[in-house]
Amino acid sequence: MVSKFRVPARWREMDQLQREMNRLFEGSSVKHTSGSHKYPAINLWANEEGQIIKAEMPGIKADDININVTSDTLTISGSRTHDKAVENTRYHRQERGYGSFTRTLQLPFMIDTGSVEATFKNGVLDIRLQRAESDKPKKIAVKSE
Amino acid sequence: MAKKENKSLEIPKQEVIKVDEMERTRSRHCYIPKTDIYETEDEIILVADVPGADQDSVDIALEKNILSINAFVETDVPASYDRIYSEYEGGDYQRSFRLSDEINQNNIKAVVSNGELRLHLPKAEPAKAKKIKVKAA
């Protein structure tokens, strides 16, 4: 039997725990948004020097992918085409999507548009962006008098 | 309008829940590769999306009539970078299909390119449709 007087103390513990949990989740800046069905799905990594964008785009040829950058946006576009229809083809199952796509991303900082590198390997696009020199955080020395 | 066109491209990855009552020993995400299967006159063609996998990491086994596809994908996490936004997780792929007897099981061809696995399953001779000529009497 739980005594009436002990309950508030436990609640305080619970509150404390909840605050800690909240802080933990707020602190991690990784946002998981598996609910957004944009194509291609992307992952984004960043540090002070630049950022890496990865996207899974299976079955697309590197030549069919277009990447456009401005100083703070990046646009990936392209299309995935159907297999050439052979005569008397009968589909048993069709789960893969086809069509053209365009996706524009707002970048978290200004980038050096001249040094963007993109590679496409095994259906995974890897874009490396360098942060613009003018946009990098500057350290300000504090003088003592 | 363009949005409507590529709606079918936007289906998110689907995770394997249980395959043949067997549980996995790798502590990784495992997904069901989206697959197209179609049939032409001579063969059945199976195309599966396995982004991140190459010819060495795809494992295809055929036992009795069960064709199993396994792809082990090593996801490389960029060092010294923090992940700040994520819409997908990397992981393995696993899926099995039961083949009909009409497949010539010795002549199966598999190609992986651009994260796409393409299997050519040739039909066995008797299964091919025979055209019967009608002679005029």
PDB file of all heavy atoms in Angstrom, chain B residues 117-136:
ATOM      1  N   LEU B 117      18.902  -4.629 -58.282  1.00  0.00           N
ATOM      2  CA  LEU B 117      19.200  -6.030 -58.569  1.00  0.00           C
ATOM      3  C   LEU B 117      18.251  -6.510 -59.668  1.00  0.00           C
ATOM      4  O   LEU B 117      17.043  -6.305 -59.592  1.00  0.00           O
ATOM      5  CB  LEU B 117      19.008  -6.881 -57.311  1.00  0.00           C
ATOM      6  CG  LEU B 117      18.972  -8.408 -57.510  1.00  0.00           C
ATOM      7  CD1 LEU B 117      20.329  -8.944 -57.922  1.00  0.00           C
ATOM      8  CD2 LEU B 117      18.495  -9.099 -56.249  1.00  0.00           C
ATOM      9  N   ARG B 118      18.828  -7.151 -60.662  1.00  0.00           N
ATOM     10  CA  ARG B 118      18.025  -7.620 -61.784  1.00  0.00           C
ATOM     11  C   ARG B 118      18.278  -9.112 -61.973  1.00  0.00           C
ATOM     12  O   ARG B 118      19.406  -9.534 -62.207  1.00  0.00           O
ATOM     13  CB  ARG B 118      18.459  -6.852 -63.026  1.00  0.00           C
ATOM     14  CG  ARG B 118      17.501  -6.861 -64.185  1.00  0.00           C
ATOM     15  CD  ARG B 118      17.932  -5.817 -65.187  1.00  0.00           C
ATOM     16  NE  ARG B 118      17.421  -4.513 -64.802  1.00  0.00           N
ATOM     17  CZ  ARG B 118      16.246  -4.039 -65.229  1.00  0.00           C
ATOM     18  NH1 ARG B 118      15.517  -4.736 -66.055  1.00  0.00           N
ATOM     19  NH2 ARG B 118      15.834  -2.860 -64.844  1.00  0.00           N
ATOM     20  N   LEU B 119      17.249  -9.891 -61.805  1.00  0.00           N
ATOM     21  CA  LEU B 119      17.367 -11.340 -61.921  1.00  0.00           C
ATOM     22  C   LEU B 119      16.621 -11.804 -63.159  1.00  0.00           C
ATOM     23  O   LEU B 119      15.462 -11.446 -63.362  1.00  0.00           O
ATOM     24  CB  LEU B 119      16.719 -12.006 -60.708  1.00  0.00           C
ATOM     25  CG  LEU B 119      17.567 -12.285 -59.493  1.00  0.00           C
ATOM     26  CD1 LEU B 119      16.673 -12.729 -58.354  1.00  0.00           C
ATOM     27  CD2 LEU B 119      18.586 -13.368 -59.764  1.00  0.00           C
ATOM     28  N   HIS B 120      17.320 -12.594 -63.962  1.00  0.00           N
ATOM     29  CA  HIS B 120      16.673 -13.177 -65.136  1.00  0.00           C
ATOM     30  C   HIS B 120      16.445 -14.653 -64.859  1.00  0.00           C
ATOM     31  O   HIS B 120      17.400 -15.396 -64.665  1.00  0.00           O
ATOM     32  CB  HIS B 120      17.560 -13.012 -66.377  1.00  0.00           C
ATOM     33  CG  HIS B 120      17.677 -11.594 -66.821  1.00  0.00           C
ATOM     34  ND1 HIS B 120      16.865 -11.048 -67.771  1.00  0.00           N
ATOM     35  CD2 HIS B 120      18.503 -10.603 -66.413  1.00  0.00           C
ATOM     36  CE1 HIS B 120      17.194  -9.772 -67.948  1.00  0.00           C
ATOM     37  NE2 HIS B 120      18.178  -9.484 -67.131  1.00  0.00           N
ATOM     38  N   LEU B 121      15.215 -15.040 -64.827  1.00  0.00           N
ATOM     39  CA  LEU B 121      14.866 -16.425 -64.540  1.00  0.00           C
ATOM     40  C   LEU B 121      14.301 -17.043 -65.818  1.00  0.00           C
ATOM     41  O   LEU B 121      13.140 -16.799 -66.161  1.00  0.00           O
ATOM     42  CB  LEU B 121      13.829 -16.496 -63.416  1.00  0.00           C
ATOM     43  CG  LEU B 121      14.127 -15.669 -62.151  1.00  0.00           C
ATOM     44  CD1 LEU B 121      12.865 -15.427 -61.359  1.00  0.00           C
ATOM     45  CD2 LEU B 121      15.155 -16.370 -61.287  1.00  0.00           C
ATOM     46  N   PRO B 122      15.134 -17.809 -66.535  1.00  0.00           N
ATOM     47  CA  PRO B 122      14.640 -18.345 -67.806  1.00  0.00           C
ATOM     48  C   PRO B 122      13.597 -19.436 -67.582  1.00  0.00           C
ATOM     49  O   PRO B 122      13.689 -20.220 -66.648  1.00  0.00           O
ATOM     50  CB  PRO B 122      15.897 -18.904 -68.471  1.00  0.00           C
ATOM     51  CG  PRO B 122      16.862 -19.119 -67.377  1.00  0.00           C
ATOM     52  CD  PRO B 122      16.513 -18.195 -66.252  1.00  0.00           C
ATOM     53  N   LYS B 123      12.631 -19.456 -68.447  1.00  0.00           N
ATOM     54  CA  LYS B 123      11.596 -20.479 -68.329  1.00  0.00           C
ATOM     55  C   LYS B 123      12.138 -21.805 -68.852  1.00  0.00           C
ATOM     56  O   LYS B 123      12.914 -21.834 -69.804  1.00  0.00           O
ATOM     57  CB  LYS B 123      10.385 -20.072 -69.164  1.00  0.00           C
ATOM     58  CG  LYS B 123       9.601 -18.942 -68.576  1.00  0.00           C
ATOM     59  CD  LYS B 123       8.366 -18.724 -69.407  1.00  0.00           C
ATOM     60  CE  LYS B 123       7.693 -17.427 -69.041  1.00  0.00           C
ATOM     61  NZ  LYS B 123       6.615 -17.094 -69.976  1.00  0.00           N
ATOM     62  N   ALA B 124      11.742 -22.860 -68.239  1.00  0.00           N
ATOM     63  CA  ALA B 124      12.140 -24.188 -68.712  1.00  0.00           C
ATOM     64  C   ALA B 124      11.397 -24.491 -70.011  1.00  0.00           C
ATOM     65  O   ALA B 124      10.308 -23.958 -70.253  1.00  0.00           O
ATOM     66  CB  ALA B 124      11.809 -25.224 -67.650  1.00  0.00           C
ATOM     67  N   GLU B 125      12.037 -25.323 -70.827  1.00  0.00           N
ATOM     68  CA  GLU B 125      11.509 -25.562 -72.177  1.00  0.00           C
ATOM     69  C   GLU B 125      10.018 -25.913 -72.245  1.00  0.00           C
ATOM     70  O   GLU B 125       9.300 -25.265 -72.994  1.00  0.00           O
ATOM     71  CB  GLU B 125      12.331 -26.647 -72.884  1.00  0.00           C
ATOM     72  CG  GLU B 125      13.670 -26.148 -73.424  1.00  0.00           C
ATOM     73  CD  GLU B 125      13.548 -24.959 -74.366  1.00  0.00           C
ATOM     74  OE1 GLU B 125      12.630 -24.980 -75.224  1.00  0.00           O
ATOM     75  OE2 GLU B 125      14.329 -24.008 -74.236  1.00  0.00           O
ATOM     76  N   PRO B 126       9.559 -26.897 -71.487  1.00  0.00           N
ATOM     77  CA  PRO B 126       8.162 -27.308 -71.683  1.00  0.00           C
ATOM     78  C   PRO B 126       7.160 -26.211 -71.337  1.00  0.00           C
ATOM     79  O   PRO B 126       6.036 -26.215 -71.823  1.00  0.00           O
ATOM     80  CB  PRO B 126       7.980 -28.489 -70.727  1.00  0.00           C
ATOM     81  CG  PRO B 126       9.349 -28.871 -70.324  1.00  0.00           C
ATOM     82  CD  PRO B 126      10.209 -27.687 -70.447  1.00  0.00           C
ATOM     83  N   ALA B 127       7.618 -25.266 -70.518  1.00  0.00           N
ATOM     84  CA  ALA B 127       6.678 -24.244 -70.084  1.00  0.00           C
ATOM     85  C   ALA B 127       6.430 -23.198 -71.157  1.00  0.00           C
ATOM     86  O   ALA B 127       5.454 -22.475 -71.112  1.00  0.00           O
ATOM     87  CB  ALA B 127       7.205 -23.583 -68.834  1.00  0.00           C
ATOM     88  N   LYS B 128       7.371 -23.098 -72.087  1.00  0.00           N
ATOM     89  CA  LYS B 128       7.194 -22.118 -73.161  1.00  0.00           C
ATOM     90  C   LYS B 128       5.958 -22.456 -73.982  1.00  0.00           C
ATOM     91  O   LYS B 128       5.706 -23.608 -74.307  1.00  0.00           O
ATOM     92  CB  LYS B 128       8.422 -22.102 -74.082  1.00  0.00           C
ATOM     93  CG  LYS B 128       9.562 -21.294 -73.534  1.00  0.00           C
ATOM     94  CD  LYS B 128      10.636 -21.134 -74.579  1.00  0.00           C
ATOM     95  CE  LYS B 128      11.939 -20.708 -73.943  1.00  0.00           C
ATOM     96  NZ  LYS B 128      13.041 -20.789 -74.884  1.00  0.00           N
ATOM     97  N   ALA B 129       5.279 -21.443 -74.306  1.00  0.00           N
ATOM     98  CA  ALA B 129       4.049 -21.679 -75.056  1.00  0.00           C
ATOM     99  C   ALA B 129       4.393 -22.226 -76.433  1.00  0.00           C
ATOM    100  O   ALA B 129       5.295 -21.730 -77.108  1.00  0.00           O
ATOM    101  CB  ALA B 129       3.286 -20.381 -75.172  1.00  0.00           C
ATOM    102  N   LYS B 130       3.742 -23.262 -76.787  1.00  0.00           N
ATOM    103  CA  LYS B 130       3.982 -23.860 -78.106  1.00  0.00           C
ATOM    104  C   LYS B 130       2.904 -23.371 -79.061  1.00  0.00           C
ATOM    105  O   LYS B 130       1.719 -23.358 -78.742  1.00  0.00           O
ATOM    106  CB  LYS B 130       3.938 -25.380 -78.000  1.00  0.00           C
ATOM    107  CG  LYS B 130       5.252 -25.937 -77.499  1.00  0.00           C
ATOM    108  CD  LYS B 130       5.304 -27.436 -77.712  1.00  0.00           C
ATOM    109  CE  LYS B 130       6.463 -28.051 -76.952  1.00  0.00           C
ATOM    110  NZ  LYS B 130       6.022 -28.965 -75.913  1.00  0.00           N
ATOM    111  N   LYS B 131       3.406 -22.982 -80.186  1.00  0.00           N
ATOM    112  CA  LYS B 131       2.464 -22.512 -81.185  1.00  0.00           C
ATOM    113  C   LYS B 131       2.170 -23.686 -82.113  1.00  0.00           C
ATOM    114  O   LYS B 131       3.078 -24.365 -82.610  1.00  0.00           O
ATOM    115  CB  LYS B 131       3.067 -21.359 -81.972  1.00  0.00           C
ATOM    116  CG  LYS B 131       2.016 -20.455 -82.550  1.00  0.00           C
ATOM    117  CD  LYS B 131       2.621 -19.128 -82.965  1.00  0.00           C
ATOM    118  CE  LYS B 131       1.532 -18.180 -83.428  1.00  0.00           C
ATOM    119  NZ  LYS B 131       2.073 -16.888 -83.788  1.00  0.00           N
ATOM    120  N   ILE B 132       0.947 -23.942 -82.309  1.00  0.00           N
ATOM    121  CA  ILE B 132       0.575 -25.081 -83.154  1.00  0.00           C
ATOM    122  C   ILE B 132       0.040 -24.569 -84.486  1.00  0.00           C
ATOM    123  O   ILE B 132      -0.871 -23.735 -84.523  1.00  0.00           O
ATOM    124  CB  ILE B 132      -0.451 -25.981 -82.447  1.00  0.00           C
ATOM    125  CG1 ILE B 132       0.241 -26.620 -81.238  1.00  0.00           C
ATOM    126  CG2 ILE B 132      -0.991 -27.061 -83.391  1.00  0.00           C
ATOM    127  CD1 ILE B 132      -0.672 -26.962 -80.123  1.00  0.00           C
ATOM    128  N   LYS B 133       0.737 -25.009 -85.475  1.00  0.00           N
ATOM    129  CA  LYS B 133       0.315 -24.554 -86.792  1.00  0.00           C
ATOM    130  C   LYS B 133      -0.902 -25.344 -87.259  1.00  0.00           C
ATOM    131  O   LYS B 133      -0.956 -26.558 -87.107  1.00  0.00           O
ATOM    132  CB  LYS B 133       1.453 -24.744 -87.793  1.00  0.00           C
ATOM    133  CG  LYS B 133       2.395 -23.558 -87.803  1.00  0.00           C
ATOM    134  CD  LYS B 133       3.445 -23.698 -88.893  1.00  0.00           C
ATOM    135  CE  LYS B 133       4.492 -22.615 -88.752  1.00  0.00           C
ATOM    136  NZ  LYS B 133       5.708 -22.965 -89.498  1.00  0.00           N
ATOM    137  N   VAL B 134      -1.764 -24.636 -87.801  1.00  0.00           N
ATOM    138  CA  VAL B 134      -2.958 -25.306 -88.352  1.00  0.00           C
ATOM    139  C   VAL B 134      -2.762 -25.446 -89.855  1.00  0.00           C
ATOM    140  O   VAL B 134      -2.539 -24.463 -90.569  1.00  0.00           O
ATOM    141  CB  VAL B 134      -4.229 -24.502 -88.045  1.00  0.00           C
ATOM    142  CG1 VAL B 134      -5.454 -25.205 -88.603  1.00  0.00           C
ATOM    143  CG2 VAL B 134      -4.362 -24.312 -86.547  1.00  0.00           C
ATOM    144  N   LYS B 135      -2.701 -26.651 -90.244  1.00  0.00           N
ATOM    145  CA  LYS B 135      -2.515 -26.888 -91.682  1.00  0.00           C
ATOM    146  C   LYS B 135      -3.862 -26.932 -92.394  1.00  0.00           C
ATOM    147  O   LYS B 135      -4.849 -27.415 -91.848  1.00  0.00           O
ATOM    148  CB  LYS B 135      -1.810 -28.228 -91.897  1.00  0.00           C
ATOM    149  CG  LYS B 135      -0.330 -28.168 -91.610  1.00  0.00           C
ATOM    150  CD  LYS B 135       0.287 -29.524 -91.891  1.00  0.00           C
ATOM    151  CE  LYS B 135       1.611 -29.680 -91.166  1.00  0.00           C
ATOM    152  NZ  LYS B 135       2.013 -31.088 -91.099  1.00  0.00           N
ATOM    153  N   ALA B 136      -3.778 -26.446 -93.573  1.00  0.00           N
ATOM    154  CA  ALA B 136      -5.003 -26.532 -94.368  1.00  0.00           C
ATOM    155  C   ALA B 136      -5.074 -27.920 -94.965  1.00  0.00           C
ATOM    156  O   ALA B 136      -4.071 -28.459 -95.426  1.00  0.00           O
ATOM    157  CB  ALA B 136      -4.982 -25.479 -95.454  1.00  0.00           C
TER     158      ALA B 136
END
